[in-house]
């Protein structure tokens, strides 16, 4: 896993968004964040600076900091709303996605639109907290990563 600047964020790779909205979670990321085929993840819209989104693991679900979020939006746990449907809350949007075989997620094209992403875009996969990792679409880290051809590229 490259670290593209001293003391900076660790990069798992780049993931390409496929024509049907499919995105691969790199194998090392799956392992570190304990994502399992058939499981689910919490999707959180990215910051204005980096765009993209974050995926939260099962530890996210039990974290007290997010208790109010889950109380207000129980569909994140019960999956009563559609996969990839985003609900805004305190400056971010939240939804859920299923983890498919081999760590593939598939975002509806409408969700990609909501996140200002398109099929064919490349996302930089960045280690975040122990609760979530990031798929960044723009910003200084993404720009810096362009000069690092050793960063692997993953596609679903």
């Amino acid at each position: 896993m490259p670290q593209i600047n001293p003391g900076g964020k660790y990069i798992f790779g780049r993931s390409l968004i496929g024509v049907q909205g499919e995105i691969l979670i790199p194998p090392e990321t799956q392992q570190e964040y304990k994502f399992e085929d058939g499981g689910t993840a919490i999707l959180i819209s990215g910051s204005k600076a980096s765009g993209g989104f974050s995926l939260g693991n099962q530890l996210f679900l039990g974290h007290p900091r997010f208790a109010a979020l889950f109380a207000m939006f129980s569909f994140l746990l019960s999956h009563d709303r559609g996969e990839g449907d985003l609900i805004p809350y305190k400056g971010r949007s939240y939804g859920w996605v299923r983890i498919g075989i081999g760590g593939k997620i598939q975002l509806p094209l409408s969700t990609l639109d909501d996140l200002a992403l398109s099929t064919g875009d490349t996302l930089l996969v960045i280690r975040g907290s122990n609760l979530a990792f990031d798929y960044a679409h723009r910003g200084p880290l993404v720009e810096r990563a362009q000069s690092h051809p050793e960063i692997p590229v993953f596609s679903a």
Side-chain angles (χ1 to χ4, degrees):
M1 167 176 30
Q3 185 177 16
I4 61 175
N5 59 331
K9 297 279 188 173
Y10 287 94
I11 308 300
F12 291 104
R14 294 181 179 94
S15 285
L16 300 174
I17 301 175
V19 295
Q20 298 296 318
E22 63 276 12
I23 303 168
L24 188 68
I25 302 170
E28 188 177 1
T29 313
Q30 291 175 54
Q31 213 171 20
E32 185 168 319
Y33 286 87
K34 298 176 178 44
F35 287 115
E36 296 181 10
D37 293 358
T40 60
I42 301 297
L43 186 147
I44 308 143
S45 62
S47 71
K48 290 179 183 177
S50 66
F53 59 95
S54 299
L55 277 186
N57 64 18
Q58 296 300 317
L59 295 174
F60 187 92
L61 301 177
H63 198 280
R65 178 175 168 201
F66 300 103
L69 174 72
F70 293 121
M72 284 182 65
F73 303 122
S74 61
F75 76 89
L76 292 170
L77 301 174
S78 65
H79 309 129
D80 292 339
R81 290 184 66 100
E83 183 174 2
D85 287 351
L86 298 176
I87 300 294
Y89 177 69
K90 294 188 176 185
R92 299 283 177 127
S93 294
Y94 296 83
W96 69 276
V97 294
R98 189 173 326 281
I99 311 291
I101 295 172
K104 181 176 85 170
I105 62 171
Q106 187 160 355
L107 299 181
L109 298 180
S110 60
T111 303
L112 290 177
D113 286 343
D114 290 344
L115 296 169
L117 297 171
S118 300
T119 60
D121 283 347
T122 301
L123 303 171
L124 190 65
V125 186
I126 306 166
R127 177 188 280 160
S129 68
N130 65 333
L131 301 177
F133 71 94
D134 302 316
Y135 282 108
H137 184 243
R138 62 180 173 272
L141 198 55
V142 172
E143 291 169 13
R144 203 170 303 122
Q146 291 173 352
S147 64
H148 288 270
E150 74 278 10
I151 297 173
V153 178
F154 299 92
S155 59

